[in-house]
Amino acid sequence: MFAAAWAYGVTGLFAALDPLVTRWRPGAGTAVAAVTVFADLLLMRALDDVRDLGYDRRFNPGRPLASGAVRVRDLGVLYAVGSLAVLALNAVRPWQVAVLGVQLGYGFIVVAAHRRSGRPSGDRLLVNLLVSLPAPVLLHAYLYAGYLHAAGHRAGRPGLLAVTVAVLAAGHAELAKNLTRTPRPGERTYAAALGLRGTAALALAAPALSAALLAARSEAPPAWTPAAVLPLAVPAVAGYRFLRGRTRWPPAAPALHLLLTFAGYAALGLAR
């Protein structure tokens, strides 16, 4: 469900910000993109499991790789076969294949370099965030290439704005998902680098800026503006509860915010 919401929502976002669009409806290409995003997220998760193996053995011992249920070699085979499968699925669209190939190759190189040198250290979350950022950006670029193919348009500034809006929205989940006042010894949290209040402030500012950009630049009728801002209620309530003394950021809130955000993107696109 999350992958489908991502693919349909972000594709709708491109339509919502594209001044050349008069009508947008998802088609077969969007369905292929949803399957591709689902597979891609699984492959990225496999790479993350390999990179975080030492950490997961301490804090998430039930994960398949950390528990010994699967081996690193098994995930390597999964990644190779899965990459070929998603590239074949998109073979009729060369630009999408090219973007996917770069994204999948980049992810592999990052993890291979980490396995070889141990750098960057998993404890340096901000550095790892910057190193990992190209992967989701390229996945959004893949969706944009599919949108352009279906619409018959050329790339332009609205596409860059849409990717910025989506990345900022996803930034909330990245910052908030492990936010805690009392981390366990060795537990990774952005609060170690940014401070508790600093991390909470950024976790709230990122989706707010994302929604503000979308509301200001959306080409959908003004009556649909609430679709851009209503998802902010989730981080607002979660942030209030956390700042009032809750030990951890409510764990379900980041994912719920993203799902509602993607639904809002799709609604704005359909309103064109």
Side-chain angles (χ1 to χ4, degrees):
M1 183 177 70
F2 185 82
W6 187 335
Y8 281 85
V10 173
T11 304
L13 174 63
F14 293 129
L17 293 173
D18 189 346
L20 300 178
V21 168
T22 56
R23 184 177 185 272
W24 173 77
R25 293 295 182 271
T30 320
V32 170
V35 174
T36 300
V37 170
F38 175 76
D40 190 278
L41 292 177
L42 285 179
L43 296 175
M44 292 300 111
R45 181 66 263 178
L47 289 183
D48 286 344
D49 281 355
V50 173
R51 183 174 58 179
D52 295 337
L53 178 56
Y55 182 81
D56 284 342
R57 281 173 173 161
R58 293 184 60 192
F59 293 101
N60 302 296
R63 297 193 65 85
L65 189 60
S67 67
V70 299
R71 300 169 299 174
V72 171
R73 180 178 297 179
D74 298 329
L75 293 185
V77 172
L78 171 66
Y79 193 80
V81 173
S83 296
L84 291 175
V86 295
L87 292 174
L89 180 63
N90 292 272
V92 297
R93 298 180 176 88
W95 277 108
Q96 288 180 274
V97 170
V99 175
L100 271 179
V102 171
Q103 190 240 14
L104 293 166
Y106 179 81
F108 176 80
I109 290 170
V110 168
V111 173
H114 178 78
R115 291 275 295 175
R116 184 178 180 85
S117 67
R119 297 179 180 176
S121 168
D123 295 328
R124 302 182 65 185
L125 290 185
L126 291 178
V127 175
N128 276 281
L129 178 61
L130 292 176
V131 170
S132 301
L133 184 59
V137 170
L138 286 167
L139 189 55
H140 287 126
Y142 158 79
L143 294 174
Y144 188 43
Y147 167 77
L148 293 175
H149 177 85
H153 297 168
R154 293 184 177 181
R157 291 182 180 179
L160 178 60
L161 176 62
V163 171
T164 302
V165 167
V167 168
L168 282 171
H172 164 73
E174 177 64 26
L175 290 166
K177 65 182 180 181
N178 293 323
L179 189 52
T180 176
R181 298 178 184 278
T182 56
R184 292 169 289 175
E187 183 179 5
R188 295 169 182 169
T189 170
Y190 287 99
L194 300 172
L196 189 67
R197 290 189 175 274
T199 306
L202 283 177
L204 294 171
L209 178 57
S210 174
L213 287 172
L214 176 56
R217 300 299 297 273
S218 173
E219 300 287 340
W224 288 82
T225 300
V229 297
L230 284 178
L232 290 177
V234 176
V237 171
Y240 175 79
R241 294 176 64 187
F242 182 76
L243 294 174
R244 292 285 293 178
R246 185 184 174 101
T247 301
R248 287 183 175 269
W249 195 277
L256 177 60
H257 167 256
L258 267 186
L259 284 174
L260 292 176
T261 297
F262 291 150
Y265 293 165
L268 288 169
L270 292 170
R272 296 302 308 275

